[in-house]
Amino acid sequence: MSVELPLWRALTGYRVLTLVYAVVIFSLNYTEYAHPLGGAAYMAALTLWMVLTWRCTTSAERCTRRFLFGDLAFAVAGILLTPLVDTHARIVGGAPTLPSIWTAGAALGFAIKGGWRWAAGASSVVAVANLVERQEFARDTVHNVLLVWVASVAIGYVVEVARASERTLARALQIEAATRERERLARDIHDSVLQVLAMVQRRGAALGGEAAELGRMAGEQEVALRTLVSSGLVPARRPAPSKGAAAAAHGDGANAAYEDTANAAYGDGAHAAYEDGPADGPSYRDNGPSYGDNCVPEGEEFSDEPCDVRALLAPHAGAGVTFSEPGAPVLLPAARAAELAAAVSAALDNVRVHAGDGAHAWILVEDEPEAVIVTVRDDGPGIPEGRLADAEREGRLGVALSIRGRLRDLGGSAEWISVPDQGTEVELTVPKGGVPEGGRRGKAGA
């Protein structure tokens, strides 16, 4: 049952009871009115209105804007009609208006239907009508209109909070159901498919030759399948970049500069291949709002909508790359997310080309309040101290352009931590903010 349903029932009861109260008060003071027949005609019209519309306040679907404005019009008309049918002495003495406290129901209807802003508008109209009817700022009148205003606004705010809580609860229940189903599938898959893939990988490595390649592919599919059942990543084919194409993908005509910088940074004896690169990586699909769809450029421009960084980085996961992510979307403007993803790709290309056979890479995504931090770490030979600075001074700017340049344009930073024979760690920090001018494709040159 919706949290709003009891409120609508309460409003229906309030309108009926306050109508009875207003009719009784009018009947008891009938002879004291200057024009009682005019007042009786209004009370009859109000009663007929209630008979025809009482069902409109039983649910949000039946309570339309047309009804709300009609209800408010009846309340205001009754207030403004009071000076025409009642004596001036009674009005100055604080006699109730024709609709009396029934008018608060009109403001409460706006509150439950539209929240505190609608309530503030409706109760303000009622307040002005009451002040016009009294023709002075009498203490009791001001007290009454303020009470109606505060009560309707408070109820409207509570309704908005209740609706937000209900949506959050529904979302949490959906996530819980999806998680349970994924865990059930994970158990079944672990007992069958994953064990077979793991066995094929081990046997292929032991046999060597073409069987080794088959084993490597089985290992990559095992990683992709584990990622799917654990975090909802949907596998998608992605070609593995070669060492030459990797450098070309991250700069405009920067092949030589990229290769020179990488060679200078890692040493001439580094291996030029990274066989365990992720030939098959998963592409991201979130169980909630599809922020990943916003990461796709529209023509040559990126969408202004927020993009989930995880959607761009998840495809790198594979047998040689471990991807760790938060459980919730990590949002950046699409152009910033694409530039960050390109910098991560450049860092992984360095690992593939220079970290050596069998090296492993890790990608860690952190969502901080003011920035998104992505750390790329490998267990390769590391970078000798001062090698990156020497390469930049010598004009070999591949790393500077592909990684540092991108992050600098976004107002962020790129920091290298490397220990010889213990691997290299690159920390990429991008502040959360507006989209840089001229949204570009993620692999455009820096």
Side-chain angles (χ1 to χ4, degrees):
M1 182 177 68
S2 171
V3 295
E4 296 181 38
L5 188 56
L7 295 176
W8 288 114
R9 291 174 176 173
L11 177 60
T12 301
Y14 177 87
R15 295 176 76 241
V16 172
L17 292 176
T18 52
L19 173 65
V20 174
Y21 174 82
V23 171
V24 170
I25 291 297
F26 175 79
S27 300
L28 293 176
N29 298 280
Y30 182 81
T31 58
E32 299 181 18
Y33 283 90
H35 303 285
L37 291 179
Y42 172 80
M43 298 306 295
L46 181 60
T47 302
L48 179 61
W49 170 257
M50 280 288 298
V51 171
L52 296 177
T53 63
W54 72 271
R55 290 177 59 87
C56 292
T57 55
T58 57
S59 67
E61 294 75 16
R62 292 176 177 151
C63 186
T64 62
R65 289 190 179 186
R66 180 179 299 179
F67 160 74
L68 288 175
F69 282 107
D71 211 41
L72 183 62
F74 256 96
V76 173
I79 295 172
L80 298 180
L81 184 63
T82 301
L84 301 179
V85 301
D86 207 350
T87 63
H88 180 71
R90 277 175 46 82
I91 293 175
V92 173
T97 60
L98 287 175
S100 185
I101 58 176
W102 181 89
T103 57
L108 294 177
F110 276 89
I112 300 175
K113 178 67 174 182
W116 70 268
R117 294 176 180 83
W118 287 28
S123 56
S124 297
V125 173
V126 172
V128 171
N130 275 280
L131 293 175
V132 170
E133 182 266 344
R134 191 65 181 269
Q135 298 180 356
E136 62 178 347
F137 286 92
R139 177 179 298 178
D140 56 346
T141 301
V142 173
H143 177 270
N144 290 335
V145 298
L146 282 179
L147 181 62
V148 172
W149 196 91
V150 172
S152 60
V153 169
I155 291 176
Y157 179 75
V158 170
V159 168
E160 290 186 359
V161 173
R163 286 172 179 162
S165 300
E166 190 173 27
R167 289 192 297 268
T168 302
L169 177 60
R171 174 66 182 143
L173 293 176
Q174 291 176 356
I175 293 175
E176 181 181 8
T179 301
R180 288 181 177 178
E181 179 63 14
R182 190 160 55 234
E183 290 176 349
R184 184 188 67 81
L185 292 174
R187 290 192 297 269
D188 295 341
I189 292 174
H190 179 270
D191 294 339
S192 56
V193 180
L194 289 177
Q195 291 187 358
V196 172
L197 290 175
M199 182 186 68
V200 172
Q201 181 186 19
R202 291 193 301 269
R203 292 291 296 164
L207 293 174
E210 294 182 359
E213 177 65 14
L214 180 61
R216 183 186 67 82
M217 295 173 63
E220 291 173 352
Q221 292 301 318
E222 179 193 4
V223 171
L225 189 55
R226 287 185 186 276
T227 306
L228 168 64
V229 297
S230 63
S231 61
L233 301 180
V234 181
R237 298 289 300 180
R238 184 176 66 88
S242 64
K243 68 172 185 175
H250 295 281
D252 296 332
N255 276 352
Y258 185 87
E259 294 292 337
D260 288 344
T261 305
N263 285 331
Y266 285 93
D268 296 333
H271 292 279
Y274 185 68
E275 295 298 335
D276 290 334
D280 298 294
S283 60
Y284 185 77
R285 291 293 182 270
D286 186 34
N287 288 329
S290 184
Y291 294 109
D293 294 341
N294 299 331
C295 303
V296 180
E298 300 173 355
E300 294 298 324
E301 297 288 331
F302 280 92
S303 168
D304 291 333
E305 298 297 324
C307 165
D308 191 349
V309 174
R310 302 177 305 168
L312 298 178
L313 301 184
H316 293 296
V321 180
T322 299
F323 177 61
S324 301
E325 55 171 324
V330 181
L331 303 181
L332 278 177
R336 284 179 171 264
E339 290 296 300
L340 175 60
V344 171
S345 295
L348 290 175
D349 289 338
N350 273 339
V351 175
R352 293 187 187 97
V353 176
H354 304 288
D357 293 335
H360 196 90
W362 292 263
I363 304 174
L364 172 64
V365 180
E366 300 174 86
D367 190 9
E368 300 293 338
E370 301 298 330
V372 173
I373 302 175
V374 179
T375 303
V376 180
R377 182 171 62 88
D378 66 68
D379 56 2
I383 304 175
E385 184 177 358
R387 183 63 63 87
L388 283 176
D390 291 342
E392 189 170 346
R393 281 194 301 268
E394 294 169 5
R396 292 175 287 187
L397 304 177
V399 170
L401 290 175
S402 297
I403 302 179
R404 279 204 180 103
R406 293 180 187 275
L407 275 297
R408 182 174 58 248
D409 291 345
L410 300 177
S413 62
E415 301 294 336
W416 273 262
I417 301 175
S418 183
V419 178
D421 299 325
Q422 296 185 21
T424 300
E425 181 177 306
V426 183
E427 184 177 281
L428 310 175
T429 303
V430 176
K432 297 178 179 179
V435 179
E437 294 185 4
R440 300 177 307 224
R441 291 190 177 275
K443 301 218 173 188

